[in-house]
């Protein structure tokens, strides 16, 4: 064996070893991510309908039809309303609790934080069925408590005016602890020197919070909003179990709309096009928020 052969073997063996180790992960990524995405894109370009074969290639026909259809625009508006209300409520509650925990003594902050994040430990489907029982108009504990203080009972999931607000509250109960975790970590990572300097200069508690703490915490808040907005836009299980998209279409968001088109009405091409449009919305929203976060970080460092 020559010295050149030994040199090539010693150079390529680590790379070959790394490639072999990555192959299973790459195969799984290809099988469960790339292939389903490619299939969805191809489906979205066809008029595939299980109850009415054969299938024809129609190009962007599904996208043009969706963007000009009133039911798609209504579902998009409902998704926007749900995401906006849910994320705003979760941010207000999460920020308030995180600030209170930050000012609480370390003796109590740990147990309180553990209790507050318990909803995250509950399986989503178990929490959803619990809410379904609690919100039952005749047997639920919520209406029982309201009647015990003299308030009239409500059909929380059967009223078109209350169903979406009820879904926002259910989502906030489950995911506000996630905001608390992110903002508590952000508050713990903030430098203490600017806050101490503001207090020495005579700033009040509100001024210190408004002009020092919140600006430094803002990148963490944007990350929390981004993650929750994406997750809220994808929300499906709670809508499907609690309302099924009703009453009427009052809670038919984009995800529920895509499910009904693809699996209830078996119009697979149209359902795939809705899913692709949702992905585009998520990518655009993510890029806008991340760009905003980057700009604020650069400005905050004074560069």
């Amino acid at each position: 064996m020559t010295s050149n052969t030994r040199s090539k073997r010693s150079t390529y063996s680590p790379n070959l070893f790394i490639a072999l180790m990555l192959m299973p992960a790459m195969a799984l990524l290809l099988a469960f991510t790339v292939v389903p995405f490619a299939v969805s894109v191809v489906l979205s370009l066809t008029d595939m309908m299980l109850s009415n074969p054969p299938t024809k290639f129609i190009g962007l026909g599904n996208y043009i039809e969706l963007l000009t259809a009133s039911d798609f625009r209504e579902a998009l508006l409902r998704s926007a309303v749900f995401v906006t209300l849910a994320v705003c409520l979760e941010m207000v509650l999460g920020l308030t609790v995180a600030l209170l925990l930050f000012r609480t003594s370390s003796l109590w902050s740990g147990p309180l934080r553990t209790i507050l994040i318990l909803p995250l430990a509950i399986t989503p489907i178990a929490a959803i069925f619990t809410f379904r029982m609690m919100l039952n108009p005749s047997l639920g504990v919520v209406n029982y408590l309201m009647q015990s203080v003299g308030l009239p009972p409500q059909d929380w999931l059967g009223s078109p005016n209350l169903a979406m607000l009820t879904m926002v509250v259910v989502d906030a109960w489950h995911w506000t602890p996630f905001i608390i975790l992110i903002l508590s970590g952000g508050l713990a990572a903030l430098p203490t020197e600017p806050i101490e300097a503001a207090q020495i200069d005579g700033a009040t508690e509100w001024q210190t919070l408004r002009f020092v703490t919140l600006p430094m915490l803002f990148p963490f808040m944007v990350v929390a909003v981004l993650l929750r907005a994406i997750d809220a836009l994808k929300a499906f299980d709670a809508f499907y179990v609690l309302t099924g998209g009703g009453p009427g279409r009052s809670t038919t968001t984009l995800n529920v709309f895509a499910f009904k088109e693809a699996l209830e009405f078996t119009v697979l091409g149209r359902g795939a096009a809705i899913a692709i449009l949702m992905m585009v919305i998520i990518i655009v929203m993510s890029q806008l928020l991340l760009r905003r976060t980057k700009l604020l970080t650069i400005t905050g460092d004074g560069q």
Side-chain angles (χ1 to χ4, degrees), residues 3-263:
S3 59
N4 289 337
T5 304
R6 293 195 196 96
S7 176
K8 287 182 179 178
R9 177 172 296 178
S10 61
T11 301
Y12 291 115
S13 292
N15 295 333
L16 180 61
F17 177 76
I18 293 172
L20 290 174
M21 291 298 101
L22 288 176
M23 281 182 66
M26 296 300 294
L28 290 175
L29 181 67
L30 187 68
F32 293 105
T33 302
V34 177
V35 172
F37 174 72
V39 171
S40 297
V41 172
V42 173
L43 277 178
S44 71
L45 302 176
T46 68
D47 65 345
M48 186 174 185
M49 188 174 180
L50 293 181
S51 59
N52 187 27
T55 300
K56 291 187 299 183
F57 179 81
I58 59 172
L60 298 177
N62 282 323
Y63 296 97
I64 296 172
E65 182 183 354
L66 283 171
L67 293 175
T68 57
S70 60
D71 51 358
F72 175 80
R73 292 198 298 269
E74 290 171 1
L76 179 62
L77 178 61
R78 290 188 205 101
S79 293
V81 169
F82 172 73
V83 171
T84 303
L85 292 179
V87 174
C88 287
L89 179 60
E90 291 163 17
M91 280 302 300
V92 170
L93 295 176
L95 178 61
T96 304
V97 174
L99 289 172
L100 291 175
L101 287 174
F102 185 63
R103 296 177 62 84
T104 305
S105 66
S106 57
L107 180 64
W108 290 101
S109 63
L112 286 175
R113 189 176 290 112
T114 303
I115 294 172
L116 289 170
I117 65 173
L118 278 180
L120 287 179
I122 300 176
T123 306
I125 198 66
I128 292 167
F129 273 103
T130 302
F131 270 104
R132 186 176 178 177
M133 291 187 290
M134 290 172 58
L135 297 171
N136 186 288
S138 56
L139 303 174
V141 67
V142 175
N143 276 346
Y144 173 78
L145 293 175
M146 290 186 65
Q147 287 178 297
S148 65
V149 295
L151 296 175
Q154 302 291 335
D155 191 359
W156 301 102
L157 300 173
S159 168
N161 297 324
L162 290 176
M164 182 60 82
L165 292 177
T166 304
M167 297 307 299
V168 170
V169 173
V170 171
D171 192 81
W173 176 86
H174 203 178
W175 293 109
T176 297
F178 181 71
I179 303 290
I180 296 173
L181 277 180
I182 293 178
L183 298 187
S184 295
L187 286 169
L190 294 183
T192 58
E193 291 82 1
I195 299 175
E196 293 171 353
Q199 292 171 344
I200 291 172
D201 290 340
T204 63
E205 291 286 339
W206 168 248
Q207 289 171 331
T208 304
L209 174 66
R210 169 68 179 82
F211 297 107
V212 180
T213 304
L214 289 183
M216 291 193 296
L217 189 64
F218 197 79
F220 295 94
M221 296 168 64
V222 173
V223 171
V225 168
L226 173 63
L227 295 177
R228 277 305 305 139
I230 292 173
D231 204 44
L233 186 61
K234 296 189 302 179
F236 172 76
D237 45 2
F239 283 94
Y240 184 71
V241 174
L242 293 179
T243 66
R249 291 183 177 179
S250 59
T251 58
T252 302
T253 57
L254 277 181
N255 234 351
V256 179
F257 186 49
F259 172 81
K260 288 186 174 183
E261 289 291 323
L263 298 180

